[in-house]
Amino acid sequence: SLAMMALLIALATNLGVSSMVGGFRLTFLEWLDQRLAAPLYVNAAPSTLSPMLEWLDAQPEVTSTLPTAQGSSQLMPGSSNAQAEQREIALFGIAPVPALTDQWPLIETIKGSTQAWSAFSTGQSVFINEQLAVAAQLTPGDSVMLASRNGPVTVSIAAIYPDYGNPRGQLLMPIQTLLEDFSGELASLGLVLDNTVDPTTFHQALTERFDLSEEALINQQEVKELATRIFERTFTITRALNVLTLGVAALALLATLLAQARERQRQVAPLWAMGVSRRKLALLPLYQLGGLALLTAVAAIPLGIAITWVLVAIINVAAFGWRLPLIMFPGSIVATLATAVAVALLAAALPAFKLWRTSPRAMLNEGSA
């Protein structure tokens, strides 16, 4: 029972951690698609980006431009449902075009994402990230008071959006509002080119016209591939720890079975004397332990789901201020069941083989001892 308890804890922990990591991976890839909607991005000084934006808007080969701007402001105490103290928040401005809004997920809205984006586009409302919503206890429909260049401004919140990895509270608004009312600065430009345009030729023309360095032009696909590789390397240690915990559980089972092997020989000796073959006597503990391990794995599944929920809904929110979606993978559940049976059979194989090699005389001596 003690060894099976160790196996239960190992399986439940592995299922919980692997589900959290798998959900984080899917969420991370979706977040990359959200923030890297354009095939090409330009990072340069605001003094360079402003004339570049005007020039790009006049180019027929540019289907759309996705400028972003950054700034900061103070969240004033007059905000509804906000904590009393004044806090500094980051401001992020975007152009609400379909190329971006179609891929920008929203966690919570008042009347749906369509109406939320409609209110956002007209400048009537803003979005806040999940970190700010948790820290300041804000929900869609609340209003916030911000310090602007013309004095305090009150805006309503239309939606909450996920912003994984950002340690600061952030408020999303139309880029024109950020530039005009909050002294924001252009941060980057996303470019969507016509399919008939040669990207290499356009990149060269853009670089020569505005004297850009090679690092200023960022290819979306290269960034995604690099970020994915870094992500996979980061969580290699998690997979190694999963294997380690299962190995510890297997060793516990093996140690328990080896300690009980001598006592078991005494129990099966009378069965052999009554005509039961050694083959059946060797296979019987494999069947028993395999079935018991399968039941243990079935019991570990709801426990693993509970661990996943605690990790993504409580620990992650307390540590980072944002919540991961709870995603369960059927493949992981099947792998948990198969792993439990495999670990149990491997642990029982050595005692069973030892029993198979034991001579009948030695078995009877053990039974009469």
Side-chain angles (χ1 to χ4, degrees):
S1 61
L2 200 58
M4 283 299 168
M5 181 59 68
L7 181 63
L8 173 68
I9 295 175
L11 291 173
T13 303
N14 283 356
L15 180 60
V17 173
S18 62
S19 298
M20 184 197 71
V21 172
F24 189 22
R25 185 178 187 278
L26 292 180
T27 304
F28 175 73
L29 295 177
E30 292 177 358
W31 181 78
L32 283 180
D33 292 335
Q34 164 197 329
R35 291 305 176 93
L36 300 176
L40 176 67
Y41 281 87
V42 182
N43 286 334
S47 58
T48 302
L49 292 177
S50 295
M52 185 187 300
L53 180 59
E54 297 178 1
W55 181 80
L56 290 171
D57 289 337
Q59 304 305 309
E61 59 265 42
V62 179
T63 304
S64 62
T65 56
L66 305 178
T68 64
Q70 294 179 349
S72 62
S73 180
Q74 295 289 329
L75 184 66
M76 309 299 288
S79 305
S80 61
N81 292 344
Q83 294 181 353
E85 71 272 10
Q86 182 173 318
R87 65 174 69 235
E88 183 177 353
I89 60 173
L91 302 180
F92 192 69
I94 62 171
V97 296
L100 188 61
T101 59
D102 291 345
Q103 301 187 59
W104 196 287
L106 300 177
I107 299 176
E108 188 178 351
T109 62
I110 302 176
K111 296 181 180 180
S113 59
T114 302
Q115 292 194 11
W117 281 113
S118 178
F120 179 89
S121 302
T122 58
Q124 299 175 2
S125 301
V126 296
F127 296 168
I128 61 173
N129 66 354
E130 189 177 7
Q131 290 86 327
L132 181 58
V134 172
Q137 301 176 7
L138 294 168
T139 59
D142 292 340
S143 61
V144 291
M145 182 180 295
L146 303 174
S148 70
R149 63 167 62 179
N150 298 320
V153 176
T154 301
V155 294
S156 62
I157 300 173
I160 299 173
Y161 64 93
D163 193 15
Y164 306 109
N166 188 355
R168 299 181 63 188
Q170 187 180 83
L171 189 145
L172 187 71
M173 62 176 57
I175 187 170
Q176 203 64 30
T177 303
L178 177 56
L179 295 176
E180 294 177 356
D181 298 339
F182 295 91
S183 304
E185 294 183 339
L186 288 174
S188 66
L189 286 177
L191 305 180
V192 181
L193 302 179
D194 189 86
N195 295 330
T196 59
V197 178
D198 182 15
T200 304
T201 304
F202 184 83
H203 295 178
Q204 185 176 358
L206 186 64
T207 301
E208 294 176 354
R209 182 176 182 85
F210 293 96
D211 192 22
L212 299 175
S213 63
E214 295 183 359
E215 293 77 12
L217 296 178
I218 302 174
N219 184 279
Q220 175 216 62
Q221 192 62 34
E222 293 178 357
V223 173
K224 286 184 178 181
E225 292 176 357
L226 177 62
T228 303
R229 287 199 301 269
I230 295 175
F231 178 90
E232 296 296 345
R233 292 176 184 175
T234 302
F235 286 96
T236 298
I237 186 64
T238 304
R239 301 186 183 95
L241 289 175
N242 285 347
V243 175
L244 181 61
T245 54
L246 285 176
V248 171
L251 287 176
L253 275 176
L254 178 61
T256 301
L257 293 175
L258 289 177
Q260 295 178 349
R262 185 179 181 86
E263 181 64 27
R264 183 161 184 81
Q265 280 189 2
R266 297 175 181 176
Q267 296 173 355
V268 300
L271 297 178
W272 179 86
M274 289 187 293
V276 180
S277 65
R278 277 189 298 171
R279 179 176 178 273
K280 291 184 178 180
L281 293 178
L283 292 177
L284 182 61
L286 295 179
Y287 296 145
Q288 291 174 336
L289 198 60
L292 188 57
L294 184 60
L295 291 176
T296 302
V298 172
I301 291 174
L303 182 58
I305 295 175
I307 291 176
T308 306
W309 181 84
V310 170
L311 288 173
V312 302
I314 298 179
I315 297 179
N316 208 79
V317 174
F320 304 109
W322 44 268
R323 175 175 179 170
L324 282 170
L326 178 61
I327 303 176
M328 297 306 301
F329 300 89
S332 298
I333 296 177
V334 174
T336 298
L337 299 175
T339 301
V341 176
V343 166
L345 293 181
L346 287 175
L350 184 58
F353 181 73
K354 184 178 180 181
L355 180 63
W356 172 266
R357 296 292 302 273
T358 303
S359 65
R361 180 176 180 180
M363 194 179 299
L364 288 176
N365 289 338
E366 290 290 344
S368 60

